[in-house]
Amino acid sequence: MAPPLPVPRPLPRAESREITSPAAPAPTVAPDGSDAPVQETHGAVPVYFISDSTGISAETMGNALLAQFPTVPFERRLIPFLRTTREAEEVREQLNQAMDGPVEPIVFLTVVDEEVREMLLGTRAPVIDFVSGHLARIEAQLGLSSDHAPARLHGLGDVRRYNRRMQAVEFAIEHDDGQSVRAIQRADVILIAPSRCGKTPTSMYLALMHGVFVANYPLVDEDFENGNLPQTIADLSDRCFGLLTSPKRLSEVRGERRPDSRYASVDQTHWELSRARRIYDYYGIPFVDSSSKSVEEMSTLILQSLTDRPTP
């Protein structure tokens, strides 16, 4: 009988609250491809998206406003899952430090808890809390009139960011489920897991929403038996991120494809997940349990791990 599946350990450096989304190089022309010069500033305007959840709403609404200023460079930072006053106090200090920098930051906030919210509103930084009048406030801070162009968020206002996202999608499709390793060295992250743990949808979400180059590679019986990463990615363990789930959930998902098979049995899924966990521990690979988190939540944690990764 396979050994019991251990309780997954927390992600490394889980106490860090800041995630920096991958940013494209600063353009020398307007991001919309026009000949309009980029607004001269002392540097990019720091933008913080702070949320008690994944931060997707804060990013979406905030970026919809920022897109009205296509000639201004922004440096975006996402701070998700902020739910305690202790965490809020640390973030408030971070925002106050940003106020001492060369460019005043912009803060977008979507936090429900009143105590956490009040703690954050105590910062010296200007906070936009998504009620009304936000566009006028940004115009006043930047000293510019916005374009007042509707639905710019869904257009091609930032060509570089859009192109990277499309390239990332193409990369994810080519490198899905180990089909190709032709350009795997270009991967920002390599998702690994037993079959049907959610590698493909997570890869596509990261590519489409964040422009992250993601390959995903399945772990198979041979890997579980020898306890090693597949030879093809053995030298790229520092880019790997693992997924787990519960044996029962994995059995149910596999049963939809191949009912009453060994592949879908609880004994088999139990064994594979236990062995996968041992591989993650051996190589120091961070991982997340996909049975209790949405694709958006898992993607946010993967982005966090990329931010925390030491620079070579």
Side-chain angles (χ1 to χ4, degrees):
M1 179 178 293
L5 182 66
V7 176
R9 57 179 169 80
L11 285 169
R13 298 173 292 277
E15 68 278 2
S16 174
R17 305 305 304 176
E18 179 178 339
I19 295 177
T20 304
S21 299
T28 56
V29 297
D32 62 0
S34 69
D35 294 328
V38 174
Q39 177 72 20
E40 291 293 331
T41 65
H42 296 294
V45 178
V47 178
Y48 292 82
F49 303 97
I50 303 175
S51 174
D52 53 10
S53 186
T54 62
I56 291 173
S57 295
E59 282 192 303
T60 300
M61 292 186 288
N63 280 322
L65 298 177
L66 297 180
Q68 301 297 321
F69 304 92
T71 61
V72 179
F74 295 104
E75 180 183 351
R76 296 167 170 84
R77 296 181 177 88
L78 169 63
I79 305 179
F81 304 123
L82 198 149
R83 296 172 179 171
T84 70
T85 54
R86 182 184 65 81
E87 293 167 348
E89 186 175 11
E90 294 174 358
V91 171
R92 185 182 65 180
E93 180 58 29
Q94 182 180 336
L95 296 177
N96 287 338
Q97 291 176 3
M99 284 294 290
D100 297 328
V103 182
E104 185 173 279
I106 300 172
V107 181
F108 294 105
L109 184 65
T110 54
V111 172
V112 176
D113 186 275
E114 288 296 330
E115 291 185 3
V116 174
R117 184 187 186 87
E118 288 301 316
M119 180 70 72
L120 291 168
L121 291 176
T123 178
R124 293 189 285 116
V127 178
I128 297 170
D129 200 20
F130 294 113
V131 283
S132 63
H134 305 318
L135 191 56
R137 187 170 181 179
I138 297 174
E139 287 177 328
Q141 182 173 332
L142 296 177
L144 296 171
S145 294
S146 70
D147 290 352
H148 293 280
R152 183 183 289 277
L153 179 65
H154 302 291
L156 298 180
D158 189 333
V159 173
R160 288 174 182 263
R161 289 172 65 89
Y162 177 81
N163 286 342
R164 178 177 173 88
R165 285 165 52 207
M166 294 305 99
Q167 291 166 6
V169 169
E170 292 174 0
F171 183 90
I173 293 172
E174 179 181 352
H175 295 82
D176 181 47
D177 208 32
Q179 294 181 97
S180 170
V181 293
R182 181 182 63 85
I184 201 167
Q185 292 285 346
R186 294 182 61 199
D188 297 312
V189 62
I190 303 170
L191 296 183
I192 60 173
S195 172
R196 308 296 289 174
C197 281
K199 300 186 301 299
T200 296
T202 306
S203 298
M204 294 304 299
Y205 183 88
L206 283 166
L208 183 60
M209 297 299 294
H210 298 284
V212 179
F213 279 57
V214 185
N216 75 74
Y217 207 95
L219 298 177
V220 298
D221 284 1
E222 180 182 350
D223 306 317
F224 301 135
E225 289 167 358
N226 63 35
N228 295 320
L229 285 173
Q231 188 61 40
T232 307
I233 60 172
D235 294 334
L236 301 172
S237 62
D238 60 327
R239 302 189 201 181
C240 290
F241 193 102
L243 301 182
L244 289 179
T245 185
S246 70
K248 181 180 178 183
R249 174 60 180 160
L250 184 55
S251 175
E252 291 171 350
V253 172
R254 289 182 173 183
E256 295 175 1
R257 173 180 287 188
R258 291 167 56 183
D260 302 320
S261 64
R262 174 179 172 273
Y263 168 76
S265 70
V266 173
D267 285 344
Q268 178 67 18
T269 59
H270 197 295
W271 179 74
E272 289 186 24
L273 291 165
S274 295
R275 293 289 178 167
R277 169 63 190 271
R278 291 182 183 181
I279 292 174
Y280 301 160
D281 285 344
Y282 180 79
Y283 287 91
I285 294 170
F287 60 89
V288 65
D289 184 347
S290 65
S291 67
S292 60
K293 289 182 171 57
S294 65
V295 169
E296 293 86 351
E297 289 175 312
M298 290 191 294
S299 297
T300 299
L301 292 171
I302 292 167
L303 288 173
Q304 178 76 65
S305 78
L306 291 177
T307 302
D308 291 341
R309 180 186 297 167
T311 303

